[in-house]
């Protein structure tokens, strides 16, 4: 069964060819055509709905290679079997890609030979994308071509080309079309005619791609008729096929080589020379080469093939390619390890240099410190002498300062005694202010009691007015006969009401006067409070030598419908009596 990596490489060329604008994406319609062609060539049932379902969530336009790859693996490569022609598969991918990437007019080889070089590139290139063939594989291919064409290998010329290639490209490799140009322009096969180059390419193609280990005409003895016939034999990794001629049109049979197969040389007999036999599980094939050299070549090739089959290995060139890849990987790992080791050594060297530099600086600092220490010792002696002289001068200054402090303390004591006298005077003034505040509060209480009494009289008057109004309404409900009397009585009541109204107005004016007196008393109280606060502040500034006397608690106030009363209970009683007397006089 073909490996998915071997199938992906030709498909990658086809996908890249469909990407005309080099954006890395291809439209869905083109991918449908590509998928249909792949399924047709690989004998896989085509399911057009699967592509739409796979990309139903991606309606933004073209699909990238990474987006197409999951669909390709799931719906095509996983269903692939060995029942398709790999050469036809390569042909289809080649047809889609070569016209957009290759200029046939500038090449000395045919399109068929270019196709073979393209297939060889897919076999020898690395598995990373974009696909490139490294210089080592290029050398391997050119050696094979020149050997097949019977030409000698020029190592110096290739070394020069390899150097140019490494300078021009970071990866040191060629793409498929650059390799075709290299072979097609005959850079390493100058002087060879086109037929010779074509034969060399075909031979290498058959060996590397078709797994042809050896081919040629060999006489074969018939199984039933026992007649010797010339046939064209092709030896592959596990099969020996024979055709009527080298055009490979009429295939006559296959010899399957397994672990039980063997090849032996036979002695000459029946007039035939250079005989050898291939023994299989069910048949024996007697063969006759044209000469001893070809006989030995066929026996050696068959033995090599059988050895590979017994060991479970691939064809020799595929095994050689795997070994070259392993060697490259190992060399890459060794180069990375060497680079890492060199980096570590460089880092260690840098650390050593830093340590040496630090040690040098420390030595310099030690020498500088020694010099500084000597200088400091000399300076210390000088400083001690200077300090002794400074101590003597300082003691003299301190003695003078002590005398000044004694004089200053005496002055401060006088100031303190003067401040005590001022505080005593301030205390007396504060007591006077507190007495004034107490008097103002008493006046305020008297005004509040008077205001409460007036409000009570006003409330009683209102009650009487309401009663008179009710009596008036009841009088109006009496019989018509008493109407005149009631009218007179009503007039008298109206006069009484007018008098009461006048009294109420008088009470209102008195209340206004009391309110003004209350406001004046409040102002006095505010002034007294401010004065007290001022004295408090002054006392606090003089270090709190006198404790402040706080005012006493206020007594309960009379509350009215309009708020706190502005007069006391006694004043309210006096107002009630005065109003009652005026009322009685008005009634009489």
């Amino acid at each position: 069964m073909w490996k998915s990596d071997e199938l992906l490489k030709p498909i990658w060329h086809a996908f890249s060819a469909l990407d005309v604008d080099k954006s890395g994406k291809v439209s869905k319609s083109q991918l449908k055509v590509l998928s249909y062609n792949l399924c047709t060539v690989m004998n896989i049932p085509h399911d057009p709905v699967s592509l739409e379902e796979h990309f139903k969530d991606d309606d933004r336009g073209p699909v990238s290679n990474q987006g197409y790859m999951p669909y390709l693996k799931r719906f095509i490569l996983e269903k692939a079997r060995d029942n398709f022609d790999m050469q036809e598969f390569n042909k289809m991918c080649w047809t889609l890609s070569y016209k957009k990437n290759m200029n046939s007019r500038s090449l000395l080889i045919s399109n068929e030979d270019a196709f073979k070089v393209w297939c060889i590139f897919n076999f020898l290139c690395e598995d990373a994308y974009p696909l490139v063939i490294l210089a080592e594989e290029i050398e391997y291919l050119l050696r094979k071509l020149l050997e097949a064409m019977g030409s000698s290998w020029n190592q110096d010329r290739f070394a020069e080309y390899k150097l140019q290639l490494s300078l021009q490209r970071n990866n040191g490799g060629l793409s498929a079309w650059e390799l075709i140009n290299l072979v097609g322009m005959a850079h390493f096969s100058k002087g060879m005619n086109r037929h010779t180059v074509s034969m060399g390419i075909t031979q290498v193609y058959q060996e590397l791609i078709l797994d042809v280990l050896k081919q040629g005409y060999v006489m074969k003895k018939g199984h039933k008729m026992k007649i010797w016939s010339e046939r064209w034999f092709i030896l592959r990794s596990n099969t020996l096929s024979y055709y009527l001629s080298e055009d490979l049109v009429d295939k006559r049979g296959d010899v399957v080589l397994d672990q039980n197969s063997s090849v032996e040389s036979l002695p000459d007999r029946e007039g035939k020379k250079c005989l050898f036999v291939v023994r299989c599980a069910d048949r024996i094939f007697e063969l006759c080469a044209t000469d001893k050299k070809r006989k030995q070549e066929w026996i050696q090739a068959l033995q090599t093939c059988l050895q590979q089959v017994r060991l479970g290995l691939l064809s020799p060139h595929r095994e050689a390619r795997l070994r070259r890849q392993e060697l490259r990987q190992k060399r890459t790992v060794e180069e990375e390890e060497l680079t890492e080791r060199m980096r570590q050594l460089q880092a260690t060297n840098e650390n050593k240099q830093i340590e040496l530099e630090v040690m040098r600086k420390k030595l310099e600092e030690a020498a500088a410190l020694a010099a500084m220490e000597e200088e400091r010792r000399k300076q210390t002696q000088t400083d001690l002498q200077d300090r002794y002289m400074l101590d003597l001068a300082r003691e003299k200054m301190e003695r003078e300062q002590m005398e000044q402090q004694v004089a200053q303390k005496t002055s401060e004591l006088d100031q303190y005694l003067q401040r005590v006298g001022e505080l005593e005077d301030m205390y007396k003034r504060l007591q006077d202010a507190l007495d004034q505040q107490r008097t103002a509060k008493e006046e305020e209480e008297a005004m509040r009691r008077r205001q409460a009494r007036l409000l009570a009289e006003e409330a009683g008057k209102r009650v009487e007015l309401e009663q008179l109004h009710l009596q008036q309404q009841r009088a109006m409900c009496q019989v018509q006969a008493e109407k005149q009397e009631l009218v007179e009585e009503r007039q008298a009541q109206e006069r009484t009401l007018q008098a009461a109204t006048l009294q109420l107005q008088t009470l209102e004016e008195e209340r206004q006067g009391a309110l003004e007196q209350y406001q004046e008393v409040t102002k006095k109280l505010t002034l007294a409070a401010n004065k007290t606060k001022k004295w408090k502040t002054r006392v606090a500034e003089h270090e709190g030598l006198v404790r402040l006397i706080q005012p006493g608690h206020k007594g309960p106030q009379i509350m009215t419908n309009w708020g706190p009363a502005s007069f006391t209970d006694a004043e309210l009683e006096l107002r009630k009596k005065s109003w009652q007397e005026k009322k009685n006089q008005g009634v009489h």
Side-chain angles (χ1 to χ4, degrees):
M1 184 174 179
W2 299 102
K3 295 182 179 180
S4 60
D5 293 339
E6 297 179 0
L7 300 175
L8 280 175
K9 291 178 181 179
I11 298 175
W12 179 82
H13 287 290
F15 185 91
S16 301
L18 296 177
D19 181 16
V20 180
D21 54 356
K22 305 300 181 183
S23 63
K25 294 184 177 181
V26 178
S27 63
K28 292 182 182 179
S29 59
Q30 291 177 313
L31 291 180
K32 289 180 181 179
V33 176
L34 176 61
S35 301
Y36 176 78
N37 291 332
L38 290 174
C39 292
T40 302
V41 173
M42 300 173 70
N43 297 326
I44 298 173
H46 181 57
D47 186 7
V49 181
S50 60
L51 183 65
E52 295 293 339
E53 291 181 352
H54 186 76
F55 296 108
K56 63 182 179 180
D57 296 333
D58 188 5
D59 296 330
R60 292 174 293 177
V63 179
S64 64
N65 185 23
Q66 290 80 6
Y68 182 61
M69 194 61 63
Y71 166 80
L72 185 66
K73 290 182 178 180
R74 178 181 177 185
F75 294 98
I76 296 179
L77 298 183
E78 289 183 359
K79 299 178 181 179
R81 299 294 181 266
D82 292 336
N83 58 347
F84 69 94
D85 190 351
M86 186 63 180
Q87 191 171 1
E88 291 296 327
F89 173 80
N90 287 331
K91 277 282 187 182
M92 187 272 294
C93 297
W94 162 262
T95 304
L96 292 175
S97 59
Y98 85 96
K99 292 182 180 179
K100 297 180 180 180
N101 295 282
M102 189 183 72
N103 186 9
S104 303
R105 297 179 181 177
S106 60
L107 299 179
L108 302 178
I109 59 177
S110 63
N111 288 342
E112 183 65 24
D113 293 334
F115 164 72
K116 295 176 181 178
V117 175
W118 180 77
C119 293
I120 295 172
F121 169 86
N122 291 334
F123 173 73
L124 296 177
C125 69
E126 298 299 302
D127 294 334
Y129 294 89
L131 298 176
V132 293
I133 181 171
L134 299 180
E136 182 181 356
E137 300 296 333
I138 297 174
E139 180 181 1
Y140 173 78
L141 173 60
L142 294 177
R143 282 180 179 273
K144 283 280 186 183
L145 287 175
L146 293 176
E147 181 181 354
M149 290 184 291
S151 178
S152 60
W153 173 252
N154 191 339
Q155 182 63 35
D156 295 336
R157 186 176 179 183
F158 182 78
E160 182 180 355
Y161 172 78
K162 183 178 179 180
L163 179 61
Q164 294 177 358
L165 183 63
S166 62
L167 294 176
Q168 293 175 0
R169 289 175 172 79
N170 294 329
N171 55 13
L174 297 177
S175 65
W177 317 110
E178 291 171 339
L179 180 65
I180 292 174
N181 288 332
L182 178 66
V183 176
M185 298 296 293
H187 289 289
F188 291 92
S189 59
K190 290 184 179 180
M192 299 287 180
N193 55 40
R194 300 184 62 173
H195 181 68
T196 304
V197 175
S198 178
M199 289 182 62
I201 293 173
T202 301
Q203 182 176 341
V204 175
Y205 171 78
Q206 290 178 348
E207 179 180 354
L208 299 182
I209 305 304
L210 302 181
D211 289 337
V212 175
L213 302 180
K214 186 170 180 59
Q215 58 182 346
Y217 282 106
V218 178
M219 299 292 293
K220 172 184 172 296
K221 186 176 183 180
H223 182 63
K224 295 182 179 179
M225 301 298 294
K226 307 298 182 181
I227 298 175
W228 290 91
S229 304
E230 188 178 44
R231 296 288 182 262
W232 179 262
F233 279 80
I234 297 178
L235 177 62
R236 293 185 175 88
S237 57
N238 59 354
T239 307
L240 180 63
S241 304
Y242 52 95
Y243 299 82
L244 184 62
S245 60
E246 58 183 316
D247 56 9
L248 308 181
V249 175
D250 188 4
K251 186 176 183 180
R252 293 304 179 92
D254 290 320
V255 180
V256 179
L257 303 176
D258 54 18
Q259 298 180 356
N260 298 322
S261 302
S262 62
V263 58
E264 298 176 2
S265 176
L266 295 177
D268 299 340
R269 62 183 182 184
E270 300 178 1
K272 296 292 182 180
K273 299 180 180 180
C274 304
L275 297 175
F276 61 98
V277 62
V278 178
R279 302 180 184 276
C280 298
D282 54 350
R283 290 185 61 182
I284 297 176
F285 296 88
E286 293 186 16
L287 305 176
C288 176
T290 55
D291 53 35
K292 292 183 178 180
K293 180 182 178 181
R294 286 187 172 81
K295 171 186 174 181
Q296 188 63 30
E297 289 175 356
W298 274 105
I299 293 175
Q300 186 175 357
L302 286 167
Q303 289 177 346
T304 302
C305 182
L306 291 175
Q307 184 68 20
Q308 296 285 341
V309 171
R310 292 189 183 98
L311 296 176
L313 302 177
L314 301 174
S315 57
H317 60 275
R318 292 184 183 274
E319 289 293 334
R321 176 176 175 271
L322 292 176
R323 285 194 297 271
R324 290 195 302 273
Q325 288 181 343
E326 291 175 356
L327 287 175
R328 280 197 299 272
Q329 293 175 358
K330 184 178 180 181
R331 187 163 58 248
T332 303
V333 172
E334 291 176 352
E335 290 177 355
E336 292 176 354
E337 291 178 352
L338 180 61
T339 303
E340 181 65 21
R341 194 178 298 112
M342 290 296 294
R343 188 186 64 79
Q344 293 177 357
L345 290 174
Q346 185 177 0
T348 304
N349 188 20
E350 292 176 355
N351 293 333
K352 292 292 185 182
Q353 292 292 336
I354 293 172
E355 291 177 359
L356 291 174
E357 184 68 20
V358 170
M359 291 179 64
R360 184 182 64 79
K361 290 182 178 180
K362 287 182 177 180
L363 290 174
E364 292 177 355
E365 291 175 356
L369 287 174
M372 290 174 61
E373 188 65 28
E374 182 64 22
E375 185 68 23
R376 191 181 296 111
R377 187 180 62 79
K378 294 179 180 180
Q379 186 67 29
T380 302
Q381 293 178 355
T382 305
D383 292 342
L384 288 174
Q385 295 176 358
D386 295 340
R387 189 179 301 170
Y388 178 71
M389 298 301 294
L390 289 173
D391 289 340
L392 292 176
R394 189 180 299 110
E395 288 179 0
K396 184 178 180 180
M397 291 177 62
E398 287 178 354
R399 186 171 61 253
E400 293 175 355
Q401 289 177 359
M402 289 294 292
E403 293 175 354
Q404 294 177 359
Q405 288 178 1
V406 169
Q408 184 178 359
K409 290 294 182 181
T410 305
S411 176
E412 289 178 355
L413 180 60
D414 295 337
Q415 293 178 0
Y416 176 75
L417 294 175
Q418 184 180 357
R419 185 185 298 175
V420 169
E422 292 176 355
L423 288 175
E424 289 176 353
D425 186 27
M426 189 182 302
Y427 177 72
K428 293 178 181 179
R429 293 179 183 179
L430 180 61
Q431 284 182 343
D432 295 339
L434 290 175
D435 293 338
Q436 293 178 3
Q437 183 180 8
R438 190 180 302 107
T439 304
K441 285 187 177 182
E442 290 175 356
E443 292 177 357
E444 180 185 5
E445 291 294 331
M447 291 301 297
R448 285 181 179 175
R449 287 193 296 272
R450 184 180 178 185
Q451 186 179 9
R453 182 173 53 80
L454 291 175
L455 289 174
E457 291 178 358
E458 182 180 355
K461 195 65 177 177
R462 287 182 181 275
V463 172
E464 289 180 359
L465 289 175
E466 290 176 357
Q467 291 176 358
L468 289 174
H469 183 66
L470 292 174
Q471 291 176 4
Q472 184 181 6
Q473 288 181 350
R474 283 193 296 271
M476 291 176 65
C477 297
Q478 293 178 1
V479 295
Q480 187 69 26
E482 298 175 354
K483 182 177 181 180
Q484 186 65 30
E485 183 181 356
L486 291 175
V487 169
E488 293 176 357
E489 186 178 356
R490 183 173 59 81
Q491 290 177 354
Q493 290 178 353
E494 287 179 354
R495 288 193 296 271
T496 304
L497 181 62
Q498 290 177 358
T501 303
L502 291 175
Q503 291 179 2
L504 183 61
Q505 291 178 354
T506 302
L507 290 174
E508 182 66 24
E509 291 175 356
E510 291 178 357
R511 189 178 66 81
Q512 291 292 335
L515 182 61
E516 291 176 357
Q517 293 178 3
Y518 171 74
Q519 291 177 352
E520 291 178 359
V521 171
T522 304
K523 290 181 180 179
K524 292 180 180 180
L525 182 61
T526 304
L527 292 174
N530 292 335
K531 193 173 182 180
T532 303
K533 184 177 180 181
K534 182 178 179 181
W535 282 108
K536 288 180 181 179
T537 305
R538 295 181 65 181
V539 171
E541 291 177 353
H542 287 78
E543 300 178 359
L545 297 178
V546 180
R547 185 173 60 85
L548 296 178
I549 300 175
Q550 301 295 332
H553 181 67
K554 295 181 180 180
Q557 296 181 352
I558 298 176
M559 302 300 294
T560 64
N561 295 333
W562 296 275
S566 61
F567 44 80
T568 61
D569 294 338
E571 293 174 346
L572 182 61
E573 290 296 330
L574 292 175
R575 284 181 177 272
K576 283 183 179 181
K577 290 179 181 181
S578 177
W579 177 78
Q580 189 67 29
E581 291 175 355
K582 290 179 181 180
K583 177 181 177 183
N584 294 334
Q585 292 176 1
V587 171
H588 295 293

